[in-house]
Structure formats: structure tokens, C-alpha cells
Amino acid sequence: MKTILRWGGFAVIGLVLLAGISGAALYWRLHSALPQTEGELTLANLGTEVKIARDADGIVHIFASDHHDMFYALGVAHAQDRMFQMDMNRRYGSGRLSELVGEAALKTDAQMRTLGLRRAAEGSWDDFNPAEHAALNAYAQGVNAIITAKNYVPPAEYLFLRTRPEPWVPADTLTVSKVMAFNLSSNGLEEPDNKRLKDILGPDRLAQFLPPYPEDGPVAMRAEDMNSVLPAHLPANGTDQALGAPMGEKAKGSNNWVVDGSLSASGKPLLANDPHLALSAPGVWYYARLNAPDTMVLGVTLPGTPFVTLGRNKTIAWGFTNTGPDTSDLKVIQGDNLRQRTETIKVRGKDDVTLELEFAGDDVVLNPRWFDIENMTREGEKVVLLSTLDDDDDTTASIGFATINATNFNDFNQALSRFKMPQQNIVYADINGNIGMVLPARVPVRDTQGNWVGEIPFEGLPRTYNPGQHYVATANNKMVPDSYPYHITDQWYGFHRARRIVENIEANPKHDVQSFKAMQMDTVSDLARKALPLFAAAQPQTDAGQKLRDIAARWDGNLAPGRPEGLIYTGWLRAFSRLVYEDDLGEDFERFWTPRRAFMDGVIRGEFAIWCDDRTTTALETCQMLAGQAFDKAAISLGKEYGGSPEKWRWGDAHDAVFAHPLFGTVPILKNFFSVRVPVGGDGSTPNVAHVSYRSGNLDAPWGVSMRAIYDLSDMNSSLFMSAPGQSGHVLSPHYRDMAQRWADGEYVQIRDDWTPDSPPPGTQVLTLAPQ
């Protein structure tokens, strides 16, 4: 027996040692993938020596002698820090994820091949000018200089996938740009959900459940401040009944605002921007400062592309929010005389899949195997997608090149004439005191039958310059007054955020960087404040429910992470929503259960009070009754999770911003290593956005603020920035998650333009790129 135990002990020790050796080997492999950030690298296709300086936050500052080497060096930096992210985005847009991850991605690949983003990206190459071709080629050369090097060690994800990244080509960059456009676009693929809801509710009740933009909602531009040049004869412009989005307010959104010198303490403009996107690890953006003898531009870049997307140069600053235009439709046609195209999807571990595509003219036919287009057709009919996304003359990816040296609003406006998709609300400010906004993009004009008969001319797109109200503020809310003659969308949203932003702008006669910081971090909900009278009138039937009601009724509407009210309110609103419309949607309830802030605003204020009556009972239920029941239900569900002392609850304990890894975000053990979590406040209605999903089973925030920027036009180097979780895509890098907590806490960093590699700030690492 002792011998057996002795050998058993040796076996355990051996297994422990083996595990330790394996762990050490894995750590060594992951660590060896970290990029070289100091010393010298000798690379092909480089003209002259370039310096890449990474400051203490990992933010890249590039110093080159010309544009070729500047864009080349950004390709180097992106490949060093974000190669797997770039690869995933180009594969996603090209319909080639199945090659990496297998059959799980087949439907996604089939959808993307059908939508044709890659085909359109390749087709747009001839619409770029020689200087833009040179920039795209230089960037690709920089990427390839890293990933084809003899001693290159790919990021950790490639170890698990047992593969390496392919060489980069300019069409990959154009595809990545298309992916961003696709992610921000309103699209006709929502129309089946609209149809299903109409079948359930009927047109009148649907108009309440998907309410149009409220008449008293903030409108970004006043008629007297618009500078659009409209043609004398306008084409017919048909629109459908105004309805909101079928799934409620969209998580993809943003805030931006700009004030002129009359509203700032310095007498010069201030501009703020915080785009709202799906949170990911690594984050969407990559901060960079690009320097050449005739160039200085800094801000966030989109890995896979060579330009600063949101940022500033020495003279101007700009920021984006999503307009959400109606740029795609579904159309039912007879399935005759269709053009055919065959594509092959390679599936890892499985046989190839042949994809048979059909086209009616230039419009692609949607296959119900891959798209949810239920009950839209009869025998012999097909559904085609009309969309601007598959246009093959899209030059949007060139905008960063055109804005590099813009010095005034005319330069900026002219540069935006090449911006095709998706439509954005782009605010502007310059050091000479001017502010403005342009909404560039290709937006279709429809006739009264809904047929596409043209597009809004660039000169007719909404714009304003030095508006009389001295500011512009947007939060995906309604952008144009009713007098604007063209139809952009019916699905304006974000009016709760916009109301709070406008309130904060107008409450302060003289703004500065500190007041803008407070506005970006604001977690007060306009919707929650509207609910306070209903809280006071609610009559819970349990002691626990009454306790929650009493806490909520004394509240100021601030969903701060360190207070209990945000958790109580969210639990209540989730329960109240179920009580309000589960009986109306029946078996489809779970499919359409979302926060629906526009609809719930009407219920809470009493406009849609009839929805509080349960259609499955003979009694008459009121909203006050349901509000009390919701407190009782929230007390039970929240009490099980967080204990019986609600005064000790904290919203941040339940509400993490989740920066999910695209590959390992749902994989046990690995998700804890590769994804990043940090407690936050707010919700989908607060300026500091942190959306929740009712159907997820938790209160995490997978969508939120992807970056923050505040530009001070009186001293550009006083401008402030922050993103999360960090600059690097390498999980062992100190910059993989080092910004996450600071982002959540409302801290900012500076990205100054007044230092060189010879006089860097403390903590800077300098890498010299030398031509081969």
C-alpha cells in the first residue's frame, strides 16, 4: 500500500510539474508575441527613418519625413498591437470567418457574402485618387512588413486557432471601413420585425408601441440656422408612416456637442464627442498622432485603416454621431430573369459550402435560409435588398486623408463631399472661433410609391455654420426641422440623452473643459425623473416592495454606480415593462422584450395608459397598480441576488461594462482572461451611456461609450481623451486593460503635439524604423 501511495504521490507531483511546465510554455509563447517597442527595426519598402514613440499610456506618436512613411508606420503600429482585431474585421466583412472558427460562423458568412461588402470594397478602388492609392498601399506595406517578418510571432489568438494572418491588401482596408458603415446603418432587415408587430398589434396600436419622435423632443438644427443649398425643383419624396425601430431604441449611438466662444470661459469653442458602440477587448479605436513636415493630426484611428477618424489637426477639431438614415429597403419582386453568381465558403473542419447568389439588376436577392424574412413572399416571389452599402463607388475611407490639412469650414465641408456612408452628424470647431455641423452621406430619395429615384444632393444635405443659438448638440435625436424637404429617417432616437445634454448646456452660461467632463460623465436619466410621480403613486403589496418604492420616490434620477437607486429603478422598469406589454405580445413577447424607452416614456407619463390594462383579465388594471406590482416583483428578484437590505445595494455591483473578446468572450475560463469587466453607472437613457439587455438574464452593459474626447480650441494641447480597455490587443501587454478603470472613473489623458522623440514625456518608449 505504501508503494502505491508513494507512486501515486509521484504521479501527482509529475502532473503538477507538467501543468507548470505547460503553463510556463504558454506564458512564454504569449509573451513572445508582444511587439518590439524600443530599439530599431529594419524594414523593406520604407523611404527614410521613422520614429514610433509610445507614451506611458501606449498611445502612438509617429514622426515621419513624408506621407508614405507616416501611413506605413501606422500600418506597422496597428499590426504590432491589433493584428487579430484587424483580421477578424476584414474576414467578417468578406464572409470568411468560417475559415477560422468553423461552422458556427457559416450563417454570418453567408449573410455578408450576400450583402456584398467585399465586392463593393474591391469595386471602389478606381474611385480613389493617386494620393489616396499611395496612402492605402503604404499602410498595407507597413502591416505586411510586420506580419511577414521571419521572426514574427502572431498574437495569442492565432496559437489557439493554429494559423497565421494573411498578407494585407488595400481592399482589406476598404472592407474594414465598410464593416463600420454596416454596423452603424439602419437597414431594411428590420422590416420583417415591423411586419410581425403590425400583424400582432394592428396599425393603430403599433404606432403607439413604436412611437415616432416626440413633438417636444430636441431638434439639433433650427430652420433659421440651416445652410443647405436646396434645388429649385425637388423630386417627389414618399415616406411611410413614421414609426420607431422595431426593437426599441438602438444601442448603437453617440453624443457630440459644440459651443462657440460666447458660451465658453475662454472665448473660443469647445467640442465634445463620445461614440457609443459595442464594447470589445481590444476596443474599437486606437489613439495615434501622425506627424510629417506638412502634417499633424491626432485622435482615434480604426485599426485596419490608415487615417484619423475622429480628432483634430492644428487648426480644426471634429466629432461624429450616427444619424441613422433610412438607406435600405426590402422589396418583393417576381423571381424571373435573375442573374446568378456562385461563391464558395470554406468551413474549417467541414466540407466547403456553395453559396448561390441571385440578383435582380444590381439588387441582391435574400435567401430565407440565411435571412429572417418570414411571411414576406408568396409562391414565385423573391425578396431583394435595396441598399447603399453595396455601392461600389464608396470613397468614405478617404475622408481621413482629406481632413488632414483642412484649415477652415470650407475645406472641411468640401472634404466631406467624398463621405458616402453611413450618414453621420459631424460637428466642427476651429481655432478662429467658428463652429458648425454637416450631415454627409448618400441618402436615397423615394417617390410616393417608395421607389428610389435619386439621392439627396450633397449641397442639399443638412448643415449649419455659426448657428444663432451658439451651440449644436446631437445624441441620435432628430436633426432637422419639419421644414427640411427631404426624408432622412423616421427612426430618430436618443431624445432622453439629448434633453439632458441641452439642459446641461443651457444651465451653464460659460463652459470649460471641466463642465464638459461632467456632462460626458452624467448619469442622470431624463426618463427616470419622469417616473418619479408614478413611483409616488404606486402601492406595493409587500413590505419589501414598499421599501424599494420609498427609496425610489426620494430619488433624483441619478444612476450613479455607488448608489442603490439605479439597481432598484432598473429592476422595477424591467418588471414594469413585462407587466405592461407581455399580455399584448403573447408568445412573441420574449422576442420583442427590450427597454423601449420611447414607448415606456408614454406609458409612464400616462399618454399610453391604456396599455396598463391586462387584456387577459376582465378587471381594469391601472399603471399605478402595475407600478406597485413591479416594485413587489423587483424586490423578490433583486433580493435573491443582492440580499435583503436594499439601502446597501450598489448599481455598480450589478452593472459591469463588459469588453468582450470577439473569439473567447463566451468561452469558460478564457473569457475571464481575455475579456475585461469594470463597474459603471448610467443606462441607455443617460448621457454616460451603458445599455442593458433584458433578455440576457443579467444587468451587464455590453454597449457603451467607446471613446471620449473634449477639444479646447483656445489651447488644443489642453484637449482631453480616453478610451477603453487599452491600446493593445495583446492580453499580456500592460496596455491591454490599463485604461478601463480610468475610463469608468471619468479620468482623461492628454495627447499633446508639442514634443518630439528627442524630448518625450516620462515613460515613453521609442522605436526606430530603418529602411532596409
Side-chain angles (χ1 to χ4, degrees):
M1 178 63 73
K2 291 182 179 180
T3 301
I4 294 173
L5 292 175
R6 184 182 305 115
W7 282 107
F10 290 157
V12 170
I13 293 171
L15 289 173
V16 170
L17 289 174
L18 181 61
I21 292 170
S22 298
L26 177 61
Y27 180 86
W28 175 85
R29 169 59 180 78
L30 299 183
H31 191 272
S32 65
L34 293 175
Q36 179 180 343
T37 56
E38 292 184 296
E40 182 175 295
L41 271 178
T42 302
L43 301 174
N45 298 311
L46 186 64
T48 58
E49 186 176 275
V50 178
K51 302 285 187 182
I52 299 179
R54 287 175 169 84
D55 65 22
D57 297 301
I59 295 170
V60 163
H61 302 250
I62 290 171
F63 301 86
S65 60
D66 58 30
H67 278 179
H68 173 277
D69 290 354
M70 181 178 74
F71 294 127
Y72 179 106
L74 184 59
V76 167
H78 280 170
Q80 286 186 312
D81 289 331
R82 298 289 189 92
M83 191 62 230
F84 183 71
Q85 179 186 42
M86 294 161 58
D87 196 2
M88 290 291 281
N89 280 336
R90 70 170 165 180
R91 285 180 174 275
Y92 173 68
S94 303
R96 294 184 56 204
L97 286 174
S98 298
E99 296 176 16
L100 280 187
V101 302
E103 198 171 23
L106 178 58
K107 183 175 181 179
T108 297
D109 281 352
Q111 290 177 338
M112 298 311 290
R113 297 285 187 105
T114 303
L115 296 176
L117 302 191
R118 180 70 183 205
R119 294 191 299 273
E122 292 172 346
S124 67
W125 176 253
D126 290 341
D127 291 283
F128 291 86
N129 64 42
E132 293 159 354
H133 283 162
L136 295 168
N137 279 318
Y139 178 82
Q141 289 174 345
V143 173
N144 291 329
I146 294 299
I147 66 175
T148 63
K150 183 177 180 181
N151 59 348
Y152 174 66
V153 179
E157 293 86 349
Y158 292 102
L159 171 65
F160 291 96
L161 293 169
R162 303 189 308 280
T163 188
R164 297 172 65 89
E166 297 175 353
W168 196 265
V169 297
D172 293 329
T173 290
L174 304 183
T175 301
V176 169
S177 179
K178 283 280 194 182
V179 166
M180 177 59 84
F182 172 73
N183 288 338
L184 293 175
S185 294
S186 297
N187 68 75
L189 299 180
E190 296 174 345
E191 292 175 18
D193 284 334
N194 272 329
K195 183 179 184 302
R196 179 58 184 158
L197 284 171
K198 187 175 181 179
D199 290 342
I200 297 170
L201 300 173
D204 293 338
R205 302 187 77 233
L206 179 66
Q208 295 180 336
F209 193 63
L210 305 181
Y213 195 78
E215 292 184 2
D216 62 348
V219 179
M221 282 186 278
R222 305 182 305 176
E224 60 267 35
D225 289 332
M226 291 189 66
N227 303 119
S228 303
V229 180
L230 301 173
H233 300 286
L234 300 177
N237 195 15
T239 61
D240 295 325
Q241 177 187 15
L243 293 173
M247 299 309 296
E249 183 177 323
K250 300 172 184 177
K252 53 188 179 187
S254 304
N255 302 326
N256 65 19
W257 60 90
V258 59
V259 303
D260 68 17
S262 69
L263 295 179
S264 77
S266 70
K268 288 294 179 73
L270 292 163
L271 187 152
N273 188 201
D274 55 285
H276 309 154
L277 299 167
L279 302 178
S280 61
V284 174
W285 305 111
Y286 183 88
Y287 277 115
R289 168 187 163 207
L290 309 181
N291 298 274
D294 59 345
T295 296
M296 195 301 297
V297 61
L298 64 84
V300 290
T301 63
L302 181 65
T305 70
F307 308 119
V308 170
T309 305
L310 309 169
R312 73 165 182 93
N313 59 29
K314 284 191 173 291
T315 306
I316 72 170
W318 65 92
F320 290 13
T321 66
N322 197 29
T323 312
D326 187 357
T327 56
S328 65
D329 293 327
L330 297 186
K331 184 178 180 180
V332 177
I333 64 167
Q334 290 298 318
D336 302 323
N337 301 317
L338 300 178
R339 178 167 56 89
Q340 311 291 323
R341 176 188 175 100
T342 300
E343 296 198 9
T344 300
I345 301 177
K346 295 184 180 299
V347 183
R348 186 168 190 167
K350 299 286 185 178
D351 294 336
D352 294 351
V353 173
T354 299
L355 188 66
E356 301 289 351
L357 301 178
E358 296 179 314
F359 297 84
D362 292 331
D363 302 318
V364 70
V365 175
L366 301 186
N367 186 332
R369 178 183 177 187
W370 309 117
F371 293 89
D372 299 324
I373 48 176
E374 59 185 41
N375 302 320
M376 291 196 67
T377 60
R378 293 174 292 189
E379 186 175 354
E381 293 180 334
K382 302 276 189 176
V383 175
V384 298
L385 176 67
L386 284 68
S387 174
T388 61
L389 281 171
D390 60 3
D391 292 349
D392 60 4
D393 61 346
D394 178 14
T395 52
T396 303
S398 71
I399 297 306
F401 187 83
T403 55
I404 281 177
N405 293 319
T407 60
N408 56 53
F409 188 74
N410 287 336
D411 292 345
F412 189 70
N413 184 61
Q414 184 58 39
L416 295 180
S417 66
R418 292 173 62 75
F419 193 108
K420 303 301 182 185
M421 61 194 71
Q423 189 173 34
Q424 299 287 287
N425 314 312
I426 304 181
V427 293
Y428 164 95
D430 64 42
I431 60 175
N432 296 315
N434 302 298
I435 68 171
M437 180 171 65
V438 185
L439 276 63
R442 174 168 288 158
V443 181
V445 172
R446 300 165 175 84
D447 64 19
T448 53
Q449 284 73 49
N451 299 308
W452 290 22
V453 295
E455 65 181 78
I456 302 177
F458 178 73
E459 296 76 13
L461 290 166
R463 56 174 52 77
T464 187
Y465 182 59
N466 291 330
Q469 66 180 0
H470 304 292
Y471 71 85
V472 181
T474 87
N476 318 112
N477 55 303
K478 187 174 181 179
M479 298 304 301
V480 294
D482 291 339
S483 59
Y484 181 69
Y486 292 112
H487 173 69
I488 295 177
T489 184
D490 290 326
Q491 295 184 3
W492 308 108
Y493 59 103
F495 62 87
H496 292 109
R497 286 182 284 122
R499 279 180 177 149
R500 180 63 179 169
I501 291 167
V502 169
E503 175 187 343
N504 285 331
I505 290 175
E506 295 184 346
N508 194 336
K510 296 291 182 182
H511 285 277
D512 56 21
V513 168
Q514 294 304 314
S515 68
F516 269 39
K517 287 169 64 175
M519 288 173 64
Q520 285 192 330
M521 295 304 299
D522 184 13
T523 51
V524 172
S525 167
D526 175 73
L527 177 60
R529 293 191 301 185
K530 285 184 170 60
L532 296 178
L534 184 58
F535 292 167
Q539 296 183 353
Q541 299 302 300
T542 66
D543 291 343
Q546 291 171 12
K547 192 170 187 179
L548 295 193
R549 188 271 318 273
D550 292 344
I551 294 174
R554 298 190 299 267
W555 186 35
D556 61 0
N558 188 349
L559 283 82
R563 293 168 53 175
E565 296 94 344
L567 179 55
I568 294 170
Y569 165 70
T570 303
W572 173 85
L573 187 58
R574 185 170 61 174
F576 186 56
S577 297
R578 180 181 286 276
L579 291 168
V580 168
Y581 61 88
E582 183 177 24
D583 59 303
D584 300 276
L585 297 187
E587 63 183 16
D588 288 273
F589 172 74
E590 294 291 340
R591 172 179 173 182
F592 293 109
W593 189 35
T594 69
R596 298 196 174 278
R597 284 175 288 277
F599 169 65
M600 294 307 297
D601 184 288
V603 173
I604 286 169
R605 290 185 294 103
E607 181 182 359
F608 303 149
I610 189 62
W611 285 75
C612 290
D613 182 37
D614 190 337
R615 296 164 66 87
T616 66
T617 71
T618 57
L620 177 64
E621 290 84 8
T622 67
C623 293
Q624 290 75 15
M625 293 170 59
L626 265 58
Q629 293 176 32
F631 277 119
D632 290 332
K633 291 179 178 295
I636 294 172
S637 61
L638 296 177
K640 289 179 180 177
E641 187 73 21
Y642 304 103
S645 302
E647 66 278 359
K648 296 180 181 179
W649 295 348
R650 297 294 178 263
W651 179 218
D653 291 343
H655 189 49
D656 279 349
V658 180
F659 298 87
H661 187 274
L663 188 62
F664 303 131
T666 60
V667 179
I669 301 176
L670 288 179
K671 68 179 181 181
N672 298 326
F673 190 49
F674 283 89
S675 296
V676 179
R677 304 175 68 97
V678 60
V680 291
D683 71 356
S685 67
T686 58
N688 187 12
V689 158
H691 291 274
V692 300
S693 168
Y694 286 172
R695 292 176 294 170
S696 67
N698 58 55
L699 297 176
D700 288 341
W703 305 281
V705 176
S706 60
M707 62 82 76
R708 296 187 182 99
I710 299 172
Y711 303 94
D712 183 349
L713 279 298
S714 70
D715 176 10
M716 288 283 226
N717 279 323
S718 295
S719 300
L720 298 175
F721 306 90
M722 182 53 69
S723 66
Q727 278 282 99
S728 177
H730 293 274
V731 70
L732 291 187
S733 168
H735 300 302
Y736 186 76
R737 62 186 77 224
D738 61 327
M739 287 183 169
Q741 190 62 56
R742 290 184 288 166
W743 167 87
D745 292 341
E747 297 181 18
Y748 293 76
V749 300
Q750 290 185 346
I751 307 177
R752 303 181 65 90
D753 66 11
D754 57 356
W755 61 266
T756 71
D758 298 325
S759 58
T764 300
Q765 296 178 311
V766 180
L767 174 67
T768 299
L769 306 184
Q772 200 170 64

